[in-house]
Amino acid sequence: VTIEFESIPSSFLLHAQKLEFNQALEGWYNKNGPEPIKLVSEKFWTESLPEITVQKKSEVGKAFTIAPEVEKEITDKIAQLAKQKSVSRSDNLSQDLGLDSLDISDVQTFLIVRYHIHALDTSDLQTVEDILRVVANPPEQHIESHQKTGWPQEKDRLPIIPPPGTTIHTAFLKMCDRMGRKAACADARLGVISYRKLKLIALTLSHYFRKMEGDHVGVLLPSTTISYVVVLALLLAGKTPVMLNWTVGARALNHCKAMGEFKAVISSRAFLEQLPDGDLGDLDDLLLYLEDIKAAVSLFDKLKAAIGVFKNGKYCQTKDDTAVILFTSGTEALPKGVPLTHENILSNQSSALSCVEFYPSDVLYGSLPPFHSFGFTVTGLLPLLVGLKVYYAPDPTQYFGMAHDIEQWDVSLLCSAPTFMKGLFQVAEPHQLGTIRLAVGGAEKVSDELFEYARKMKFEMLEGYGITECSPVVSLTRPGVPREGVGLPIPGVEVCVIHLETHEKLPVNTEGEICIRGPNVFKGYLGSQKSPFVEIEGKKWYRSGDFGSLSKQGSLLLSGRLKRFIKIGGEMVSLMSIEVELLSAATQRGWIKKAVEGPPLAVAVSEKNGDKPEIVVFSTFDISKDLMNDVLRESGFGRIVKISEVRKVDKIPITGTGKVHLKALQDMI
């Protein structure tokens, strides 16, 4: 190795901007021409040099077609790395934009994660156009990555059964003993994991977690195999996991820290390095990385775990103990802490399971994050506790990667938020979704557009209604039954509708506040929150804050959140109904010229100094308020319902759970 020391040339501008400095550095390196290639023999006893071939640049100048929204996403990413407002196709990545090798590596990672393009030589990426061409015409090797590697053949796999225990961790251990070496789950990092191996990892981690201080432990991880193993290991160690949402911002995370009373947060360096916004507030000082935990697990921990694989110990938690602390989405205010017991979750899973038939051959796709109540209980823990194969994916917005996963892993069951489903369906090729037989949408209203897509693709779409405080499933439409609203309450769950002021039960087809009771309903919020319960006819009911009615058949019909109603001229007006009407018109009349990720529009309210509330529409497409008001009048809204302002935005803000971020809209107002 030769090390050269030279004085800094006078031509160098040490305080110049990155691009100018890098150009000067490049010129200095090449002052005597490009450095020649030096070949080293592969064998010490004879000369054996690799053959050098000049790569053909046949693609240069070749025409290609790329969707405008895809091109914008890619150029926005490059502009972000170059710290410029915009870039053009002809820009050279290094000479014009100042991107260095690490930046190019970031671009490559972006292409792998976002568009699943693995077979890529970064030396081919000289200009912005080169990157666009690669995405438009992926290398041939990319096709090979779609060959299925997936699950082992298991013809004698046992049928799906309800969770076999009164606590989550005992149900997990019993299911591990029942399934043995059968496949439990898979993800991109660990591949296929059997129930026996899953049990061994969970028991090993539990011995380590027992030494941790405090009863509560924060968990900041995406949807992966190890994330749910961490949850199970904490329960086996007698700890309560507190699931944290990294998308809510530092202020909300600090609030969650105060509410959750944990002294450590389990996360991963590999995961945190991928976060676009790394501000975790006060959590930074509490982070405990899985990479370090793996290195710290002792041989003694592993031996005790190996013994535990064959002999289940006694675990002191009961069905009434807290199994997890989740937080509400925080779309309207700071998140509220929701402690759920083992009985809350297991009773809800068993009831939901009785409404839909699952087969031993089924595969569930688990991409919703663990901080999401639907993600934690349904797409996260449920499959592990009932014997259902699950493929975990860490990001429900990586639609190209999701489409590839579904095809490669024979996914038949898709449960997700409608926003994420829409993004997936927009980019997926029909053959990639050919194995899906059933999809369940929750967290927000499932649009007619998604039901129509499911009909064309010949799989069944169900819609559920759930609340974090209810563990979360309350009602569900049933397979093979004409849908009405968000379906019938699941077994064991009671629903009624009450008058907002008198709290009296209302008859069918009469709108009021939806109230719920059952073994799935939590017992109250953390801290000094106002009680969310009301007593009716000697029974305690949870007040959901949602507005709706019950049909004659008993189905639940949602009108929207109470906080999404405004009173104009003494009349209650639903912002959700305005959104539905405007979105339907925008689709039918062709106002939306191109596909966008997330909802195309959202409705909010501006209330200033006690004046009459004004309706504001945020839209991703160009449209006038007069046209929107014409639509509302034609559809039967009274004259008092009037759009006051339309604001054009690039994207409607959504939360990590796929809901419209109402608080962000109010902040924008």
Side-chain angles (χ1 to χ4, degrees):
V1 177
T2 302
I3 302 176
E4 297 182 39
F5 293 87
E6 291 201 30
S7 59
I8 297 174
S10 59
S11 60
F12 265 55
L13 304 174
L14 294 182
H15 301 291
Q17 295 297 313
K18 175 183 174 182
L19 176 58
E20 190 177 5
F21 182 84
N22 278 350
Q23 288 173 339
L25 193 64
E26 189 73 17
W28 177 76
Y29 277 129
N30 295 312
K31 60 183 181 292
N32 298 320
E35 185 176 349
I37 295 174
K38 182 175 181 179
L39 301 180
V40 179
S41 176
E42 296 172 343
K43 301 171 183 175
F44 71 85
W45 61 89
T46 184
E47 186 173 81
S48 175
L49 301 177
E51 183 181 353
I52 302 300
T53 57
V54 178
Q55 208 164 10
K56 295 180 180 180
K57 294 289 184 180
S58 58
E59 290 293 325
V60 176
K62 186 177 179 181
F64 63 92
T65 303
I66 189 168
E69 61 270 19
V70 175
E71 178 168 353
K72 184 178 185 305
E73 183 177 47
I74 295 169
T75 54
D76 284 350
K77 177 66 176 180
I78 297 171
Q80 177 190 355
L81 290 170
K83 295 181 172 58
Q84 296 194 17
K85 291 183 178 179
S86 62
V87 297
S88 65
R89 284 192 174 194
S90 60
D91 283 339
N92 186 285
L93 300 178
S94 59
Q95 295 171 13
D96 298 324
L97 302 178
L99 301 188
D100 57 27
S101 58
L102 292 178
D103 295 325
I104 302 297
S105 178
D106 281 344
V107 172
Q108 185 179 23
T109 301
F110 171 74
L111 296 179
I112 291 171
V113 173
R114 189 69 180 86
Y115 301 106
H116 228 75
I117 297 175
H118 289 274
L120 186 62
D121 185 350
T122 53
S123 64
D124 292 338
L125 306 182
Q126 300 296 321
T127 66
V128 173
E129 186 170 86
D130 291 338
I131 295 174
L132 298 176
R133 181 179 287 106
V134 163
V135 174
N137 303 303
E140 290 184 8
Q141 294 94 323
H142 174 51
I143 298 172
E144 294 174 5
S145 69
H146 285 271
Q147 294 176 357
K148 297 183 180 183
T149 56
W151 307 101
Q153 292 293 324
E154 297 176 337
K155 295 181 180 179
D156 58 343
R157 191 176 177 92
L158 297 171
I160 310 301
I161 63 170
T166 56
T167 63
I168 290 171
H169 47 288
T170 55
F172 166 69
L173 293 176
K174 289 180 180 179
M175 186 54 66
C176 288
D177 293 342
R178 178 176 185 261
M179 300 300 289
R181 298 183 184 276
K182 295 290 189 292
C185 55
D187 66 14
R189 186 174 289 268
L190 296 180
V192 178
I193 301 291
S194 71
Y195 271 95
R196 185 172 181 179
K197 186 173 182 180
L198 204 65
K199 180 179 177 181
L200 177 61
I201 300 171
L203 289 173
T204 302
L205 285 174
S206 72
H207 291 299
Y208 179 87
F209 291 155
R210 278 199 187 94
K211 307 168 191 173
M212 295 176 65
E213 187 180 357
D215 295 329
H216 294 178
V217 178
V219 179
L220 189 77
L221 291 167
S223 176
T224 60
T225 295
I226 197 64
S227 302
Y228 291 104
V229 173
V230 164
V231 168
L232 292 163
L234 286 170
L235 292 172
L236 287 165
K239 308 290 185 182
T240 301
V242 182
M243 311 309 293
L244 299 168
N245 180 350
W246 56 87
T247 70
V248 295
R251 178 169 173 261
L253 284 172
N254 291 344
H255 171 74
C256 293
K257 175 183 175 242
M259 297 290 291
E261 298 181 335
F262 46 81
K263 297 181 181 179
V265 176
I266 299 172
S267 191
S268 160
R269 288 192 183 90
F271 164 61
L272 294 180
E273 285 169 1
Q274 299 298 319
L275 290 184
D277 180 8
D279 187 2
L280 300 177
D282 295 342
L283 299 190
D284 276 332
D285 299 330
L286 305 180
L287 291 174
L288 185 61
Y289 300 106
L290 282 170
E291 293 86 346
D292 297 336
I293 293 174
K294 181 181 178 182
V297 170
S298 68
L299 178 61
F300 186 56
D301 289 330
K302 294 176 182 178
L303 288 172
K304 286 196 291 186
I307 295 171
V309 168
F310 302 102
K311 181 180 178 182
N312 291 339
K314 293 183 179 179
Y315 304 93
C316 58
Q317 288 177 317
T318 69
K319 64 175 186 172
D320 297 320
D321 289 325
T322 299
V324 67
I325 294 173
L326 298 171
F327 289 91
T328 56
S329 58
T331 60
E332 298 163 351
L334 283 172
K336 289 182 279 193
V338 180
L340 297 176
T341 67
H342 293 273
E343 183 182 28
N344 289 153
I345 294 171
L346 294 178
S347 67
N348 196 247
Q349 289 179 342
S350 296
S351 293
L353 198 67
S354 70
C355 299
V356 182
E357 188 172 6
F358 292 156
Y359 306 112
S361 59
D362 274 329
V363 177
L364 178 68
Y365 193 66
S367 64
L368 290 175
F371 61 71
H372 190 303
S373 59
F374 194 22
F376 182 85
T377 63
V378 177
T379 66
L381 288 180
L382 172 69
L384 300 179
L385 302 183
V386 303
L388 176 66
K389 286 179 291 189
V390 55
Y391 184 84
Y392 293 120
D395 189 344
T397 66
Q398 297 296 341
Y399 304 127
F400 287 92
M402 288 169 65
H404 165 78
D405 292 340
I406 290 169
E407 178 185 22
Q408 180 172 349
W409 293 91
D410 290 327
V411 171
S412 56
L413 306 172
L414 178 66
C415 299
S416 192
T419 297
F420 302 144
M421 281 190 183
K422 182 181 177 184
L424 169 65
F425 295 162
Q426 282 178 343
V427 306
E429 297 292 337
H431 72 270
Q432 293 180 296
L433 307 181
T435 57
I436 295 178
R437 71 172 183 86
L438 186 67
V440 182
E444 282 207 309
K445 179 178 174 57
V446 179
S447 66
D448 291 339
E449 178 187 7
L450 292 181
F451 279 107
E452 178 59 22
Y453 180 87
R455 187 189 65 78
K456 288 181 180 178
M457 289 292 294
K458 294 182 171 49
F459 63 81
E460 187 154 22
M461 174 73 74
L462 304 182
E463 183 172 9
Y465 165 64
I467 307 173
T468 301
E469 293 86 342
C470 296
S471 307
V473 185
V474 174
S475 69
L476 185 67
T477 58
R478 305 299 202 263
V481 178
R483 64 185 172 100
E484 183 181 35
V486 289
L488 296 165
I490 63 174
V493 176
E494 298 178 64
V495 175
C496 72
V497 176
I498 65 169
H499 191 279
L500 292 177
E501 295 169 359
T502 66
H503 298 169
E504 292 179 327
K505 283 187 179 180
L506 296 173
V508 296
N509 296 326
T510 306
E511 289 189 336
E513 184 176 6
I514 296 166
C515 293
I516 304 143
R517 70 186 304 269
N520 61 316
V521 178
F522 81 138
K523 292 181 171 59
Y525 296 110
L526 293 179
S528 56
Q529 299 281 346
K530 180 182 176 183
S531 172
F533 300 101
V534 62
E535 188 169 312
I536 307 170
E537 300 173 356
K539 295 180 180 180
K540 189 168 78 170
W541 296 76
Y542 167 67
R543 300 183 65 174
S544 69
D546 287 324
F547 205 56
S549 61
L550 289 169
S551 72
K552 288 183 179 179
Q553 289 71 34
S555 292
L556 186 57
L557 311 175
L558 285 182
S559 304
R561 292 287 295 168
L562 284 171
K563 290 187 178 180
R564 299 213 68 204
F565 281 77
I566 56 171
K567 196 169 256 189
I568 304 177
E571 184 179 329
M572 292 286 281
V573 177
S574 166
L575 301 185
M576 180 175 143
S577 63
I578 296 174
E579 279 178 2
V580 170
E581 200 60 52
L582 292 177
L583 185 57
S584 175
T587 304
Q588 293 174 8
R589 302 186 186 196
W591 294 346
I592 304 173
K593 302 299 182 185
K594 64 177 185 177
V596 294
E597 288 186 15
L601 61 82
V603 178
V605 177
S606 174
E607 297 181 272
K608 300 176 182 176
N609 303 321
D611 294 340
K612 185 179 79 171
E614 296 183 343
I615 300 173
V616 179
V617 175
F618 290 86
S619 171
T620 59
F621 53 90
D622 292 313
I623 194 67
S624 70
K625 66 178 183 180
D626 292 335
L627 274 175
M628 287 192 168
N629 283 323
D630 288 343
V631 167
L632 295 181
R633 279 195 295 273
E634 290 169 12
S635 58
F637 282 86
R639 290 189 175 274
I640 59 171
V641 180
K642 185 177 181 182
I643 308 299
S644 299
E645 182 184 358
V646 176
R647 293 195 186 187
K648 174 78 181 298
V649 293
D650 291 331
K651 186 182 290 187
I652 302 296
I654 62 172
T655 67
T657 60
K659 297 180 181 179
V660 172
H661 203 314
L662 303 176
K663 188 174 183 299
L665 293 180
Q666 291 305 138
D667 290 343
M668 290 163 70
I669 289 176

